[in-house]
């Protein structure tokens, strides 16, 4: 083995996983990260309960990666959700499947998992350097960093880039690495928000009544896809898992047409005729809010929401009201920006990588995690994708080290 270390740049879940695999195989491994402490976005994402992965059948699971499915399919099959759960259990962190099929640590806390993980890495001899901002390569091919002690360079046996995407910049994922790779001829796709809220032009009166109110147990339809879930009314529009699952096609439609119309089913557990029959049994003199509450157990802000989008429809006619309950048209006029997105699309084009996740333009330099141009909805798919690409990159490094063709950092 080389006496040069393998460098992992980025101490998020992808970088830590790649480091563990390589150190476990006996390699010298160093992790360098620009932030004062590791895995900041990972910890933030776990504040409400760390969603590790999802329990649905693997063939269905893989469809969640959309256009990147052909790329992600073999990587997920090589490191499956079951493998990820077993890995957690190996750290002493038991997991469970929630009612939605999502998988969580029993403690719900990212901090407990991270603490055990860092202890394991330390035991494997992995060196972690914080406040080391990657600045590219020196003339002799060494990897360069800005550090508290000034500029430093390290000669690496190989390098794995795991710097994240361009969402949550205050936690370190700012996409600033893109200029360094573009200068080396690595093809990149523009960053775009993913898993973010969408804008709706609410009336002032509606916001006074509904801002901050949840819409629970609903279903959202866009074109031929229907997604169950929940939403929250915000000052600028709507947020929530049901929208996140449709984030990519909605974003593309807005970019193409300037808007996207979704249809909101406020009572997905009932058919249209069932909704109409229940509403018909309510007293004719009841207000809209009372009809919805008594007939369908729908409370605020459902009535205000229906009025917001009813237009000239006569809500006094039961058939009209039932139709809107089952398919309320809501126009989305824009998407929240990268600074408010959970994740990002764009980054290193998948065509820029070989089968080992090495950059074709830079021999010995590999990439994984959200740096790559794939996206997935929330629900455990994002973390699973980060782990799986990290495993693939680490194994790619091992294959490279047995038969390198050019020096690390040089063009292939």
């Amino acid at each position: 083995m080389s006496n040069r270390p393998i460098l992992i740049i980025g101490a998020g879940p992808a970088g830590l996983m790649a480091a563990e695999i390589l150190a476990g195989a006996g390699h010298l491994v160093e992790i360098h990260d620009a932030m004062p402490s590791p895995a900041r976005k990972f910890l933030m994402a776990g504040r409400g309960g760390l969603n590790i992965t999802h329990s649905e059948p693997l063939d269905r699971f893989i469809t969640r990666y959309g256009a990147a499915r052909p790329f992600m399919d073999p990587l997920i099959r090589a490191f499956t959700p079951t493998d990820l759960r077993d890995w957690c259990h190996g750290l002493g962190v038991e997991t469970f499947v929630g009612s939605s099929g999502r998988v969580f640590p029993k403690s719900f806390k990212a901090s407990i998992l991270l603490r055990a993980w860092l202890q394991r890495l330390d035991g494997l001899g992995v060196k972690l350097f914080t406040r080391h901002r990657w600045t590219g390569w020196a003339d002799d091919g060494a990897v360069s960093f800005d550090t508290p002690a000034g500029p430093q360079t390290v000669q690496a046996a190989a390098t794995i880039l795991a710097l994240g995407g361009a969402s949550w910049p205050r936690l370190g994922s700012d996409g600033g690495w893109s200029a360094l790779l573009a200068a080396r001829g690595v093809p990149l796709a523009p960053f775009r928000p993913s898993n973010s809220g969408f804008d709706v032009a609410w009336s002032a009166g509606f916001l006074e009544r509904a801002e901050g109110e949840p819409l629970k147990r609903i279903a959202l339809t866009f074109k031929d896809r229907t997604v169950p879930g929940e939403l929250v009314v915000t000052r600028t529009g709507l947020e929530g898992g049901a929208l996140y699952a449709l984030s990519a096609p909605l974003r593309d439609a807005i970019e193409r047409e300037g808007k996207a119309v979704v249809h909101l089913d406020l009572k997905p557990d009932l058919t249209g005729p069932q909704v109409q029959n229940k509403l018909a049994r309510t007293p004719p003199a009841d207000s809209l809010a009372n009809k919805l509450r008594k007939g369908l157990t729908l409370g605020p802000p459902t009535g205000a929401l229906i009025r917001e989008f009813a237009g000239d429809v006569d809500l006094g006619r039961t058939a009209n009201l039932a139709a809107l309950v089952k398919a309320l048209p809501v126009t989305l006029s824009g998407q929240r920006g990268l600074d408010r997105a959970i994740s990002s699309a764009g980054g290193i084009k998948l065509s820029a990588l070989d089968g080992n996740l090495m950059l074709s333009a830079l021999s010995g330099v590999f990439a994984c995690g959200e740096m790559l141009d794939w996206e997935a909805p929330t629900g455990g798919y994002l973390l699973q994708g980060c782990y799986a690409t990290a495993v693939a990159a680490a194994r790619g490094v091992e294959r490279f080290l047995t038969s390198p063709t050019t020096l690390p950092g040089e063009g292939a």
Side-chain angles (χ1 to χ4, degrees):
M1 293 186 180
S2 172
N3 57 3
R4 294 179 175 183
I6 299 169
L7 298 189
I8 312 291
I9 304 178
L16 297 180
M17 178 58 80
E20 178 180 337
I21 290 174
L22 290 165
H27 297 279
L28 297 173
V29 178
E30 294 182 3
I31 304 173
H32 295 254
D33 194 275
M35 301 302 285
S37 58
R40 289 199 161 194
K41 183 178 176 183
F42 179 74
L43 289 171
M44 178 65 76
R47 280 193 173 181
L50 182 65
N51 183 192
I52 289 287
T53 187
H54 202 286
S55 64
E56 68 184 348
L58 189 58
D59 286 344
R60 188 186 306 162
F61 187 105
I62 292 170
T63 66
R64 308 305 185 185
Y65 295 93
R69 177 180 176 179
F71 174 84
M72 297 295 290
D73 190 312
L75 308 187
I76 299 293
R77 293 186 189 279
F79 190 77
T80 66
T82 299
D83 294 328
L84 180 49
R85 294 188 70 185
D86 289 344
W87 172 82
C88 288
H89 300 162
L91 286 173
V93 177
E94 295 300 311
T95 62
F96 74 97
V97 179
S99 59
S100 64
R102 298 182 181 197
V103 177
F104 301 89
K106 284 188 176 179
S107 68
F108 279 101
K109 295 181 179 179
S111 59
I112 292 175
L113 188 150
L114 180 61
R115 189 178 307 118
W117 198 1
L118 292 175
Q119 289 175 350
R120 174 182 285 181
L121 292 173
D122 184 62
L124 290 171
V126 175
K127 295 181 179 179
L128 173 62
F129 298 89
T130 57
R131 294 187 172 91
H132 278 217
R133 182 172 295 279
W134 177 55
T135 56
W137 292 271
D139 292 341
D140 62 357
V143 183
S144 58
F145 299 93
D146 278 339
T147 78
Q152 294 183 7
T153 60
V154 181
Q155 291 285 353
T159 301
I160 295 181
L161 303 178
L163 289 138
S167 64
W168 296 36
R170 66 188 178 87
L171 300 178
S173 297
D174 59 6
W177 49 264
S178 58
L180 296 173
L181 293 185
R184 292 278 179 149
V186 177
L188 306 173
F191 291 117
R192 298 188 292 170
S194 183
N195 292 299
S196 68
F198 285 82
D199 298 332
V200 180
W202 304 123
S203 67
F206 174 78
L207 276 179
E208 289 176 6
R209 293 188 295 273
E211 184 179 0
E213 291 286 344
L215 299 169
K216 297 185 176 181
R217 295 182 294 279
I218 55 88
L220 198 66
T221 297
F222 181 64
K223 298 189 182 298
D224 59 347
R225 284 191 60 193
T226 298
V227 177
E230 298 184 357
L231 296 172
V232 175
V233 176
T234 70
R235 175 160 292 277
T236 57
L238 290 168
E239 297 264 1
L243 271 175
Y244 301 158
L246 296 169
S247 179
L250 288 172
R251 180 193 62 226
D252 294 345
I254 290 171
E255 289 178 354
R256 186 174 58 250
E257 303 167 16
K259 65 178 181 179
V261 178
V262 296
H263 287 86
L264 187 59
D265 185 345
L266 298 167
K267 203 68 179 176
D269 54 326
L270 298 178
T271 66
Q274 287 173 328
V275 168
Q276 186 168 340
N277 287 339
K278 286 179 175 292
L279 288 172
R281 296 193 192 107
T282 61
D286 272 358
S287 66
L288 173 61
N290 282 337
K291 283 181 178 292
L292 294 170
R293 178 177 58 81
K294 293 177 181 178
L296 302 172
T297 64
L298 291 173
T302 308
L305 185 67
I306 290 174
R307 289 192 185 279
E308 186 77 358
F309 294 104
D312 296 330
V313 174
D314 181 2
L315 297 179
R317 296 189 60 185
T318 302
N320 291 347
L321 179 56
L324 290 174
V325 167
K326 292 297 293 178
L328 184 67
V330 178
T331 299
L332 308 177
S333 58
Q335 187 178 22
R336 305 303 304 275
L338 279 166
D339 60 332
R340 299 297 299 274
I342 293 174
S343 60
S344 60
I348 298 171
K349 290 186 177 181
L350 303 182
S351 60
L353 303 162
D354 69 9
N356 290 319
L357 270 59
M358 185 172 74
L359 294 170
S360 300
L362 294 168
S363 180
V365 180
F366 299 73
C368 61
E370 287 192 63
M371 291 185 75
L372 309 184
D373 185 21
W374 60 271
E375 61 180 315
T378 57
Y381 309 104
L382 287 168
L383 267 180
Q384 181 73 46
C386 288
Y387 283 119
T389 57
V391 170
R395 291 173 178 165
V397 166
E398 290 205 279
R399 287 189 287 269
F400 168 79
L401 292 177
T402 63
S403 57
T405 56
T406 56
L407 292 175
E410 294 183 353

